[in-house]
Amino acid sequence: MKQDAKLAKNYDPKAFEERIYAAWEKSGAFHAVIDRAKKPFAIVMPPPNITGQLHMGHALDQTLQDVLTRWRRMQGRCALWLPGTDHASIATEMKVAEEILATEGKSKHELGRAEFLKRAWEWKRVYGGKITEQMRKLGNSCDWERERFTMDEGCNRAVREYFVRLYEKGLIYRGNRLINWCPRCGTSLSDAEVEHEDRKGTYWYFRYPGADGGEGIVVATSRPETMFADVAIAVHPDDARYGALVGTQVLIPLTDRRIPIIADAYPDPEKGTGAVKITPAHDPNDFEVGERHGLDMPSCIDENAAMTGLAEKYMGMDRFACRKAWVAELAEAGFLVKTEEKVIPIGECYRCGAVIEPLLSDQWFVRMEELARPAILAAKEGRLTHVPERFEKIYLHWLAEVRDWCISRQLWWGHRIPAWHCDACGGIAVASETPRACPDCGATELRQDEDVLDTWFSSALWPFSTLGWPENTEELAYFYPTDVLVTGYDIIFFWVVRMVFSGLEIMGDVPFERVYVHGLVRDAEGRKMSKSLGNGIDPLEIIERYGADALRFTLISGVSAGGDMRFQTEKLEGARNFANKLWNASRFVLMNLPAADGEDGATAGDSASATGTRPDGDSATPAGTPAGGEDGALADEDLWMLRRTAEAAAEITRNMENFELSVAAQKIYELTWSDYCDWYIELVKERLYGGDEAEKARALSVLTRVLRDILKLLHPFMPFITEEIWGFLPPEGGAPAQAGTRDETSPESLLIRAAWPETAPPDGPDPATERIEKAKEVIRSIRNLRAEAAAAPSKLLNAVIVASPENLEALRREEGHLKKLAGLAAIEYASDKSGLPEETASAVTGAAEIFIPLDELIDYKAEFERLHKENARVADDVARISAKLANPGFTGKAPAKVVNAERERLAACEEMAAKLAARIAVVEKKLS
């Protein structure tokens, strides 16, 4: 800072946040320099999509990561928070295709693959960095020098290498299997990319007539349009109702196609009719039945969700339009037995929301069983832990039930599958580099597979590909495995599980030791934020209005591990008020420090760190306060404040280690607002304004020392305001306590590089602290009595304090604080209640009973006026309600419930009037 600089009068985050962030970046504070003498700490950022814009989910997720990173950095760890962005195959391809169609009127196919990819890379260049700039506004202390992109050269090489290794182990294969198909995006999806939503639907019960002219069998289905691809009717082998029908044949209604009735364990006799139509090409369960029985697998719906030739006259019709027409035709022909309304889970594309169509398709798959086993074992053995623990059950259940992962996507933007087809012999060559010839027949004309890999295939490698794998880099050896992954519960299956089994397969170790799972940010009513509801909140707008620190503190304060949070404006305003409170308290301290002009002043390392013995025998410094020069003159309030700070530092550190970040935030809030601002500053004002320069110096020394520790503890949560204030404080290490002398362009002078406060917990009780706590209770109780009696703040009262000899002695020593902060003219100390005034207001604390004469506490003239006003208001209410109840038009026509309510209100008002009359009589007597 410039020597003539002063902390601005008003807190205005826009005046310094951008400047502060630039100073951090310029100083290299975010860059993790490998130091073998330090223990590493690493987090890889869940890479946001290049198509995205910072939303509240990002803000929460990244604030959590930044809090942990800044904290560990201040603890002396070599802290790496590795940022990056994801290419997001489906989302980006859709954005680029839409832009081309809107501006040029061409589809991506009309443009061609090569030209489309050029446009996609240009789109990434123009828009891809937008979200990273937005992240900077949030205050993210990422190592931008190590920023990665899932399709950069290094990540692309890692993806190819990983694919080849899995293929060579037989863990990747190409096969014709049932997959999830999105007809709108035109690509396959993994099971994790399908979102299921319960909707009201219909089950239609149709009769399939016997092929021999018999009655046949009734089957319930929610998808009658797939009947054209039925290949069997299945019943449970133990279902006695259908035993005689197994082996016979029925006809698909209105067709001449015969299908068998088979026995299989899949049908549930308790559901529907107990008979199930089997359509292997359009249902995953039916597919498995079809495989077990060697059934044909014809398709009646194509990749555009239109009916195929198997549907005959409905060919080319949309699947849902066909459903409506086909049901009507079956009903008219008498095959519809009944309908039943039910809630049905509908699978939708996680990107566009289109209803998924299960289709048979030639795709690439990862065999999951072998990869899942080590991932399950890692959790069970405790090498991978979840916070909170309940998410481990979800993780294990998903892995236990996982099916082979479909990894091919019918897109152009993404990692193209490193497989080449030979048309000469039909062989496939899989390699990390383009092969020159077919390894089977030697033909040189090879064509690369058209499909790209699932985005999550490359994201699964993120914790080690970003550190240099497949090369054995120094970063990989030092930072892997990383410490913690911070993520929302909505992508545990998309990403977390895949990173775990990929890390175990390639690196032989878990990619991170802990998974901190947080919930979603919902609106004030608890609804999920969405475009359709119009309830989304732009974090950039919040930052513009309230500042990044207020947003960060609101998010951290409201989050709990695994739980959703409601975003409320009131909490945001509370966080802004907290920042303002800290700002004003800091200005107060700085205004009382000697200016940087050579004046004599207190030293930052003197009495605030004293370790001597006071004349009264009390310990001068609570445990946990750094030692300094000998000085036996610290006041009780100094020792109390230092101890509270040490206790808070220890508790906050423990909370951070347990990922109780919202609890830690609340404790630093209480330390700052209540202990420091509301109590300690008030307790030392008399010394600051008095004529004893030594006392003033000691008070300033403790004020400065504690403010430094508060700024350090708060910095991970509210980095901008703490860094700005820090720049005006005198430097640590015994330099003169003068304001505004530090040069913020010096990297080592920045708070982001400061050490986390000492956290050794105070040892044993401290008499000075106990005296202050007893005094605070008495002051708080007297303030409450004054408020209840509406006593003027300027009115000085007399009080009687009754307590044990030990507590009386303690309170006598704090008499100056009691008088000043409770507004007392005199205090009488007593060991019993004899001789108390006849009429008193009283309060009880843990250490004493307090009595204040009512004649002093109450301004009877003002009370008389107030009571008369209140009495007049109540009298009006009595008259109005009485008139209402005397009106036959009301009592005769209004519901009895309404009339009774008015009678109850009248009784309450009459009771209040009687109490007011009695109170007025007492006050009149006092005034007479």
Side-chain angles (χ1 to χ4, degrees):
M1 284 290 182
K2 295 179 180 178
Q3 290 194 359
D4 60 349
K6 291 182 180 180
L7 190 66
K9 182 178 180 180
N10 298 315
Y11 169 60
D12 179 11
K14 285 190 284 189
F16 58 82
E17 286 189 349
E18 188 174 336
R19 168 174 52 79
I20 291 285
Y21 198 89
W24 286 333
E25 281 207 86
K26 184 178 180 180
S27 73
F30 303 160
H31 184 58
V33 178
I34 294 175
D35 183 349
R36 295 290 176 180
K38 291 183 177 181
K39 186 177 180 181
F41 175 81
I43 293 181
V44 290
M45 177 190 290
N49 295 346
I50 57 171
T51 59
Q53 181 166 334
L54 195 73
H55 56 64
M56 276 300 172
H58 291 132
L60 171 61
D61 191 69
Q62 292 170 19
T63 297
L64 290 167
Q65 294 171 71
D66 194 43
V67 167
L68 292 170
T69 303
R70 286 177 182 271
W71 166 56
R72 289 300 193 187
R73 186 185 289 122
M74 294 177 76
Q75 283 192 318
R77 302 276 289 271
C78 181
L80 167 65
W81 183 17
L82 199 151
T85 49
D86 195 292
H87 63 281
S89 287
I90 298 177
T92 304
E93 183 147 325
M94 289 176 66
K95 287 271 189 183
V96 176
E98 288 170 0
E99 184 177 87
I100 293 170
L101 185 63
T103 58
E104 302 177 40
K106 293 182 179 179
S107 70
K108 70 173 190 177
H109 295 285
E110 290 175 315
L111 201 64
R113 184 170 194 148
E115 183 60 27
F116 178 83
L117 289 177
K118 285 182 182 179
R119 305 290 183 87
W121 278 106
E122 176 62 18
W123 193 94
K124 188 265 178 188
R125 186 189 66 79
V126 174
Y127 298 105
K130 182 179 180 181
I131 195 167
T132 60
E133 290 305 312
Q134 293 171 343
M135 289 192 288
R136 284 174 163 86
K137 291 186 178 295
L138 191 61
N140 292 354
S141 62
C142 310
D143 191 341
W144 295 110
E145 295 178 44
R146 288 187 169 96
E147 183 181 356
R148 300 299 300 271
F149 174 53
T150 50
M151 280 178 62
D152 65 28
E153 185 177 348
C155 288
N156 190 51
R157 183 184 174 196
V159 167
R160 285 191 168 206
E161 182 67 23
Y162 184 51
F163 186 97
V164 171
R165 290 193 187 188
L166 292 185
Y167 181 80
E168 290 176 347
K169 287 186 68 173
L171 295 177
I172 284 182
Y173 66 94
R174 183 171 170 82
N176 186 259
R177 298 184 62 82
L178 196 71
I179 52 94
N180 304 299
W181 182 264
C182 176
R184 185 177 299 163
C185 295
T187 184
S188 59
L189 301 174
S190 68
D191 290 342
E193 292 171 307
V194 178
E195 295 180 344
H196 290 88
E197 181 180 336
D198 288 341
R199 293 185 187 173
K200 290 182 180 179
T202 303
Y203 270 90
W204 290 270
Y205 287 72
F206 295 110
R207 181 175 301 282
Y208 285 61
D212 59 359
E215 186 176 346
I217 195 168
V218 176
V219 173
T221 179
S222 62
R223 299 202 63 202
E225 69 275 13
T226 64
M227 289 170 64
F228 300 106
D230 289 350
V231 294
I233 302 294
V235 296
H236 197 279
D238 298 333
D239 194 335
R241 293 173 294 176
Y242 302 120
L245 292 178
V246 174
T248 65
Q249 292 186 324
V250 293
L251 294 172
I252 296 176
L254 295 178
T255 75
D256 57 0
R257 290 178 49 216
R258 295 171 175 247
I259 57 174
I261 297 177
I262 61 175
D264 190 271
Y266 166 58
D268 183 350
E270 302 299 320
K271 290 184 178 180
T273 64
V276 179
K277 74 185 200 67
I278 302 301
T279 320
H282 297 290
D283 183 274
N285 294 308
D286 293 3
F287 178 80
E288 293 179 2
V289 173
E291 282 199 320
R292 285 196 292 271
H293 293 268
L295 301 173
D296 291 338
M297 299 187 181
S299 297
C300 65
I301 300 174
D302 66 17
E303 294 177 350
N304 297 313
M307 305 307 294
T308 69
L310 199 61
E312 299 177 348
K313 65 180 180 180
Y314 297 109
M315 178 180 176
M317 185 179 287
D318 175 77
R319 55 184 167 168
F320 298 130
C322 173
R323 174 188 295 179
K324 184 176 181 180
W326 176 233
V327 167
E329 185 178 357
L330 289 170
E332 186 177 352
F335 291 102
L336 178 61
V337 177
K338 66 174 184 175
T339 60
E340 187 176 62
E341 300 303 311
K342 281 195 173 184
V343 174
I344 301 171
I346 303 295
E348 298 176 343
C349 174
Y350 80 114
R351 276 297 172 196
C352 72
V355 175
I356 294 302
E357 186 60 51
L359 290 180
L360 276 174
S361 180
D362 290 324
Q363 302 287 342
W364 291 89
F365 297 87
V366 175
R367 297 187 196 278
M368 286 303 305
E369 186 177 355
E370 184 176 331
L371 291 170
R373 280 196 297 268
I376 291 171
L377 196 61
K380 289 185 174 180
E381 291 179 346
R383 288 180 286 130
L384 175 75
T385 58
H386 290 74
V387 181
E389 291 183 7
R390 70 177 184 271
F391 283 97
E392 183 175 297
K393 293 181 180 179
I394 300 172
Y395 166 93
L396 291 172
H397 176 75
W398 192 85
L399 280 170
E401 300 293 325
V402 70
R403 303 184 185 195
D404 285 358
W405 173 18
C406 177
I407 56 172
S408 46
R409 298 290 180 269
Q410 289 62 56
L411 302 167
W412 290 349
W413 174 250
H415 295 278
R416 196 165 177 179
I417 290 176
W420 286 261
H421 299 265
C422 176
D423 292 329
C425 70
I428 296 178
V430 172
S432 57
E433 301 293 338
T434 304
R436 294 182 177 180
C438 174
D440 296 328
C441 70
T444 57
E445 292 186 5
L446 303 176
R447 54 181 177 83
Q448 189 174 357
D449 199 289
E450 293 290 323
D451 293 347
V452 299
L453 287 163
D454 177 8
T455 296
W456 300 103
F457 189 90
S458 56
S459 298
L461 317 185
W462 194 244
F464 51 92
S465 65
T466 53
L467 295 174
W469 187 86
E471 298 296 327
N472 292 319
T473 63
E474 187 180 13
E475 283 85 356
L476 188 62
Y478 184 67
F479 290 113
Y480 190 93
T482 63
D483 288 76
V484 59
L485 178 81
V486 178
T487 186
Y489 60 64
D490 52 335
I491 60 171
I492 288 179
F493 314 128
F494 285 112
W495 193 39
V496 177
V497 171
R498 293 186 167 101
M499 282 190 289
V500 173
F501 69 66
S502 298
L504 288 165
E505 172 67 21
I506 293 300
M507 301 297 298
D509 200 354
V510 291
F512 26 76
E513 297 169 1
R514 289 167 295 277
V515 181
Y516 177 83
V517 184
H518 61 79
L520 306 177
V521 182
R522 298 184 178 274
D523 69 9
E525 298 177 25
R527 301 173 301 174
K528 186 175 181 179
M529 292 185 184
S530 67
K531 290 181 180 179
S532 60
L533 290 175
N535 62 344
I537 300 173
D538 184 352
L540 297 175
E541 291 180 4
I542 298 296
I543 290 171
E544 176 68 18
R545 183 174 178 185
Y546 294 93
D549 287 327
L551 173 60
R552 289 168 62 106
F553 201 78
T554 300
L555 293 170
I556 287 291
S557 300
V559 73
S560 61
D564 293 345
M565 69 167 289
R566 295 189 179 193
F567 192 85
Q568 298 171 317
T569 304
E570 296 82 4
K571 291 181 179 179
L572 189 63
E573 290 172 348
R576 164 72 186 234
N577 292 341
F578 175 50
N580 201 58
K581 182 88 167 181
L582 173 65
W583 188 269
N584 290 336
S586 301
R587 285 192 74 247
F588 173 81
V589 174
L590 291 167
M591 287 167 62
N592 280 282
L593 287 175
D597 57 4
E599 293 180 25
D600 292 335
T603 60
D606 62 4
S607 56
S609 329
T611 57
T613 301
R614 291 174 48 139
D616 55 24
D618 291 349
S619 169
T621 303
T625 302
E630 291 268 325
D631 189 332
L634 283 180
D636 281 1
E637 61 267 23
D638 300 334
L639 295 169
W640 167 79
M641 189 68 246
L642 291 169
R643 185 181 180 92
R644 276 295 302 121
T645 306
E647 288 173 343
E651 291 169 5
I652 290 165
T653 302
R654 189 161 51 249
N655 294 140
M656 300 284 275
E657 288 169 348
N658 294 328
F659 294 95
E660 299 164 344
L661 304 188
S662 62
V663 177
Q666 183 60 33
K667 286 179 180 176
I668 183 61
Y669 177 94
E670 291 168 359
L671 175 71
T672 306
W673 190 297
S674 177
D675 295 330
Y676 188 71
C677 297
D678 284 355
W679 282 107
Y680 183 63
I681 288 179
E682 295 304 316
L683 288 167
V684 300
K685 276 184 178 179
E686 193 167 358
R687 291 159 65 196
L688 294 177
Y689 300 151
D692 189 330
E693 290 301 320
E695 279 297 325
K696 180 177 181 179
R698 280 187 284 271
L700 283 172
S701 181
V702 178
L703 278 166
T704 307
R705 160 67 187 161
V706 173
L707 180 55
R708 279 201 200 93
D709 281 347
I710 284 174
L711 295 177
K712 290 177 180 179
L713 293 169
L714 184 58
H715 179 72
F717 304 92
M718 303 179 85
F720 289 107
I721 185 174
T722 52
E723 187 73 77
E724 177 70 355
I725 294 169
W726 181 266
F728 289 88
L729 285 175
E732 294 183 281
Q738 299 171 338
T741 61
R742 188 170 63 83
D743 180 5
E744 84 169 3
T745 61
S746 171
E748 296 308 316
S749 68
L750 294 171
L751 174 57
I752 192 173
R753 292 180 177 272
W756 187 250
E758 296 287 334
T759 56
D763 184 19
D766 175 60
T769 297
E770 291 176 0
R771 287 193 292 270
I772 290 294
E773 288 296 340
K774 290 172 183 177
K776 283 173 57 188
E777 286 186 11
V778 171
I779 293 166
R780 193 180 292 115
S781 297
I782 295 174
R783 285 174 172 175
N784 289 340
L785 289 176
R786 297 179 71 106
E788 291 169 6
S794 60
K795 184 174 184 179
L796 297 180
L797 308 174
N798 294 313
V800 178
I801 296 178
V802 178
S804 67
E806 178 185 354
N807 286 333
L808 286 176
E809 175 60 25
L811 292 171
R812 277 195 182 98
R813 292 183 59 166
E814 308 302 334
E815 184 171 304
H817 297 320
L818 295 177
K819 286 183 174 180
K820 182 168 181 58
L821 299 186
L824 300 178
I827 303 173
E828 180 183 339
Y829 300 95
S831 57
D832 58 52
K833 302 178 186 177
S834 61
L836 288 174
E838 184 177 339
E839 291 184 335
T840 62
S842 64
V844 180
T845 72
E849 290 182 80
I850 305 108
F851 299 90
I852 298 177
L854 284 178
D855 288 349
E856 294 194 15
L857 190 63
I858 298 174
D859 181 339
Y860 285 105
K861 185 176 180 181
E863 180 69 356
F864 183 79
E865 292 175 357
R866 186 190 69 80
L867 289 170
H868 266 287
K869 288 180 181 179
E870 180 70 6
N871 190 53
R873 185 190 64 79
V874 173
D876 287 344
D877 288 344
V878 169
R880 179 177 52 79
I881 298 171
S882 297
K884 195 173 186 179
L885 291 171
N887 182 1
F890 171 71
T891 54
K893 296 180 180 179
K897 184 178 179 180
V898 174
V899 175
N900 289 335
E902 288 297 304
R903 286 177 178 148
E904 290 174 3
R905 286 183 62 201
L906 177 61
C909 288
E910 288 173 338
E911 182 181 356
M912 176 63 74
K915 289 180 179 179
L916 286 168
R919 181 64 181 156
I920 288 170
V922 171
V923 174
E924 284 179 330
K925 184 178 179 182
K926 289 286 184 182
L927 290 172
S928 62

